[in-house]
Amino acid sequence: VLSGCGVYDGTEIHEASAVLVHLSRGGAEVQMYAPDVPQMHVIDHSKGQPAEAESRNVLVESARIARGKIASLAKLTTADHDAVIFPGGFGAAKNLSTFAVDGKDCKVNREVERVLKDFHKAGKPIGLCCISPVLAAKVLSGAEVTVGHEEEEGGKWPYAGTAGAIKELGAKHCVKDVTISFPAHVDTKNKVVTTPAFMCETALHHIFDGIGAMVKNVLKLTGK
């Protein structure tokens, strides 16, 4: 499930690509979806500032990553899939929810909420990385997730404050690294698998490997 195209206002492209590579390597058949809604705003990624006069659609922008092969999130059903994965990027906190603005008081896009609840009820695994675990924390009461460490540690974990918000949402935060063994957290009860990814300032290949651990555990939980 994508949330646009670009880290500051949509899906983190490297994370989406890593998810797709690891799913392909795992032999999974993939279908991509995104909500057909306007973005919260558009960021000029060369400046890191809002482009005031622009507006974009989440589904249309996500189609860039999907190479055009994408459908509206409204069409996603548990009956057609064994698992669902949400890459990160600020689109998860801006377009799939209002977390970027409202924090613990955020609202989740109704289709995103439906998908999370439906997969959870069906006992089918849910994978999330980077900032997207906040979606599960909000929707699935008591879920265990990770966004990495809970202290900034000299800038290595610049978004460490997110862990506190996750706790306020009623979820359990589990400290995980990106660069060591077992960089993904598996909540076996709720079948929720999370990894920090770009919540950490580290080399790209470490993030790629962490996402691989998340994907591998999601596929394992499908039992196929």
Side-chain angles (χ1 to χ4, degrees), residues 5-207:
C5 183
V7 58
Y8 298 126
D9 59 11
T11 302
E12 212 301 319
I13 298 169
H14 296 296
E15 291 180 10
S17 182
V19 168
L20 291 169
V21 169
H22 287 296
L23 284 171
S24 176
R25 184 169 288 149
E29 184 178 339
V30 177
Q31 171 65 52
M32 283 175 267
Y33 298 88
D36 188 0
V37 296
Q39 289 186 187
M40 174 185 147
H41 60 189
V42 177
I43 298 293
D44 178 340
H45 281 59
S46 68
K47 299 176 181 177
Q49 299 174 350
E52 300 294 349
E54 285 195 53
S55 62
R56 299 187 185 185
N57 177 279
V58 175
L59 178 59
V60 172
E61 292 303 296
S62 298
R64 294 175 179 271
I65 297 173
R67 297 172 63 87
K69 297 178 181 179
I70 195 166
S72 170
L73 187 59
K75 298 181 179 179
L76 172 54
T77 66
T78 55
D80 294 331
H81 301 283
D82 299 309
V84 64
I85 294 179
F86 291 78
F90 281 104
K94 293 178 175 179
N95 304 327
L96 303 188
S97 72
T98 64
F99 183 80
V101 176
D102 300 322
K104 67 179 179 63
D105 298 316
C106 68
K107 295 181 180 178
V108 175
N109 172 280
R110 64 181 182 180
E111 291 296 340
V112 173
E113 182 174 6
R114 174 188 64 80
V115 167
L116 287 169
K117 287 183 175 178
D118 284 355
F119 273 81
H120 183 254
K121 184 178 180 179
K124 294 184 175 183
I126 300 166
L128 311 103
C129 62
C130 196
I131 191 69
S132 67
V134 300
L135 302 172
K138 176 68 177 181
V139 174
L140 306 177
S141 180
E144 296 179 2
V145 301
T146 188
V147 289
H149 286 205
E150 299 180 355
E151 302 292 336
E152 289 189 24
E153 299 175 22
K156 182 179 179 181
W157 296 91
Y159 310 108
T162 305
I166 281 174
K167 294 175 184 177
E168 290 181 312
L169 287 168
K172 179 181 179 181
H173 183 259
C174 302
V175 174
K176 284 284 179 177
D177 215 318
V178 175
T179 59
I180 58 175
S181 299
F182 310 111
H185 179 72
V186 182
D187 177 352
T188 53
K189 178 182 177 182
N190 293 295
K191 292 192 176 181
V192 173
V193 187
T194 51
T195 192
F198 278 103
M199 297 299 275
C200 181
E201 289 289 337
T202 189
L204 180 60
H205 67 282
H206 293 313
I207 291 164

